Amino acid sequence: MVPMTASARLDLPPAARPTADGASPTITRLAAGMLGLLPFSTDVYLTAMVDLGRDFGVEVAGVQRTMLAFTFGFALAHLFLGRLADRYGRRPVALIGTAVYLVAAIVAITSPSLDLLVIARFVQGGAEATGPIVARTLIRDTVPSEHAGRALAKVGALFGVAPIAAPFVGTLASGFAGWRGALGTLVIYAVVLLVTLLLRLPETRPAHVHGADRVSIVKALGHFSRTRAFVVGCLAVGTGYGALYSWLTTSAFLLVGRLGYSKVEASWVYTAGAIGFLLGGMIAMRLARHMTPQRVLRIAAAAMIVGTTAPLAFVLAGAAHWAVLLVALFPYYVGWGLAQPMATAIGMRPFPEMAGQASAWIGIAQQVGGMGFAVVAAGLGGNTATLVVMVAAAVSFTVAVFLPPVRPTV
């Protein structure tokens, strides 16, 4: 296979051609919209999880099934969606995936049983996998590799609006229609996204990929894993997201259940975290101008260590006012906002000719890491154990990013 860089692409449609500052405005906005559906899909019903459990008569592990089903479907779909995007194109995969997501979202809000809801969330997760896979691939297709980290950080700063808005939108919607109202907002998001993609998304798949689209997912992994940059990127996204997913899937029972926060107070904690993620992405854009991605990851590691150990210490000390916890968690979110685009750029950079499959495997690593740490947190009963697992994930992230420096590869 002959390496190919985005800077050499002369066949891109006008709407996809990069600017001197990174990806085109069209690609940046569409990628942000596709990526934003993922945090919206998880964060929009965080404060309604207790209501969902009450309606179906289940505790934290039962409610977590809806989130884990979404994540499992999301991870499983990565095994073939990346290859499909490489073979058939980015546009058809994105359109079909969003359409399937919309149907599953409608089934979810009309589910009469927890089992059907879990199945619907599984399908939602699988369909939603098209968003991050295609979004990351669009950037790799259209932006020179040396600018990919900054371009991804810019996309992250835009889609950071989704996790900021989601908890409040979900709280407002659940006030009118319970957890079904919260999940109903995903139907609206999916309709708007599908229409926008249909009208605006260009095809960016290279015309000739020299057989890379026919490489099996297993062979692709073997090829990728021989490159240290890919390994570091996967370890970083897996452990970093492990802390976040543990928090998202079990923290409602800590905040609303044990600590007695109101739904609005819990929403402030979640929203402040999303603002921290947005801020981290904006900082990453600036740091990427004069720092290597791995150096940015090491700065992120320090922030994530502080942002996981501090809240644990405050809760153990009994100083767990919602505003205190909000401030204590903030550095973690800033660190994750710094880390996610840089780790993704590091992992995908060596593989322009197999961008879809590289994006898919990075997504798998992130979701496997998230599920692994979250299952441990739930198995330990959530509550304070959630914060302990978050510390373990942050420490693991730090170990990963302090591996020997990754040499730039095009």
Side-chain angles (χ1 to χ4, degrees):
M1 290 176 287
V2 179
M4 173 177 50
T5 65
S7 57
R9 293 287 307 278
L10 301 177
D11 59 331
L12 289 171
R17 290 172 187 165
T19 65
D21 196 41
S24 73
T26 297
I27 292 297
T28 299
R29 292 168 190 149
L30 291 175
M34 287 186 282
L35 283 167
L37 184 56
L38 176 58
F40 217 89
S41 297
T42 55
D43 295 9
V44 77
Y45 75 126
L46 291 177
T47 59
M49 282 185 169
V50 175
D51 294 336
L52 191 155
R54 187 181 302 115
D55 282 357
F56 289 118
V58 295
E59 300 296 331
V60 57
V63 174
Q64 195 191 43
R65 286 175 59 202
T66 65
M67 190 76 85
L68 289 177
F70 179 92
T71 305
F72 184 66
F74 184 86
L76 187 63
H78 278 69
L79 292 173
F80 58 88
L81 286 177
R83 189 180 182 190
L84 291 177
D86 281 340
R87 172 169 289 192
Y88 298 109
R90 321 318 187 193
R91 179 179 166 86
V93 170
L95 291 175
I96 293 172
T98 307
V100 173
Y101 179 97
L102 174 59
V103 173
I106 295 172
V107 174
I109 63 175
T110 58
S111 296
S113 68
L114 181 62
D115 288 340
L116 182 58
L117 176 60
V118 168
I119 293 171
R121 290 289 287 169
F122 173 81
V123 176
Q124 269 189 293
E128 163 51 14
T130 60
I133 289 173
V134 173
R136 290 187 297 258
T137 304
L138 290 174
I139 297 299
R140 189 63 188 90
D141 284 344
T142 62
V143 178
S145 59
E146 63 271 19
H147 298 149
R150 188 166 186 270
L152 285 166
K154 187 174 183 179
V155 170
L158 287 177
F159 90 76
V161 174
I164 292 173
F168 280 111
V169 171
T171 297
L172 181 63
S174 66
F176 288 100
W179 61 268
R180 297 180 193 274
L183 290 180
T185 62
L186 300 178
V187 174
I188 299 172
Y189 193 133
V191 169
V192 173
L193 180 60
L194 181 59
V195 172
T196 304
L197 293 177
L198 186 63
L199 296 177
R200 302 295 304 276
L201 180 63
E203 181 55 69
T204 64
R205 175 184 176 271
H208 302 288
V209 290
H210 306 285
D213 59 322
R214 292 178 173 81
V215 176
S216 73
I217 190 74
V218 176
K219 288 184 179 179
L221 177 60
H223 174 58
F224 298 154
S225 61
R226 290 193 292 270
T227 303
R228 185 156 47 86
F230 177 78
V231 174
V232 170
C234 287
L235 289 174
V237 296
T239 54
Y241 189 64
L244 177 61
Y245 199 65
S246 297
W247 176 250
L248 293 179
T249 57
T250 60
S251 60
F253 293 87
L254 171 65
L255 302 183
V256 179
R258 176 184 167 184
L259 299 179
Y261 296 173
S262 69
K263 289 183 179 180
V264 173
E265 290 170 341
S267 293
W268 277 115
V269 175
Y270 293 129
T271 300
I275 293 172
F277 177 80
L278 176 62
L279 178 61
M282 296 173 67
I283 295 172
M285 282 192 293
R286 293 188 174 275
L287 294 182
R289 292 181 181 272
H290 53 85
M291 288 186 183
T292 64
Q294 190 140 3
R295 187 177 176 190
V296 176
L297 287 179
R298 292 175 177 180
I299 295 172
M304 292 168 73
I305 290 290
V306 172
T308 53
T309 56
L312 176 60
F314 281 122
V315 169
L316 291 177
H321 188 275
W322 68 268
V324 173
L325 195 63
L326 180 156
V327 173
L329 277 165
F330 197 76
Y332 163 75
Y333 277 97
V334 173
W336 180 233
L338 285 168
Q340 189 181 41
M342 296 299 122
T344 301
I346 285 176
M348 290 187 66
R349 184 171 185 170
F351 311 109
E353 77 286 359
M354 300 175 69
Q357 294 217 53
S359 175
W361 275 113
I362 288 174
I364 291 172
Q366 178 170 308
Q367 298 307 310
V368 168
M371 286 190 292
F373 282 102
V375 166
V376 173
L380 294 174
N383 293 321
T384 306
T386 295
L387 297 173
V388 173
V389 171
M390 290 178 69
V391 172
V395 171
S396 300
F397 175 89
T398 302
V399 172
V401 302
F402 274 89
L403 291 172
V406 174
R407 291 178 294 177
T409 306
V410 175

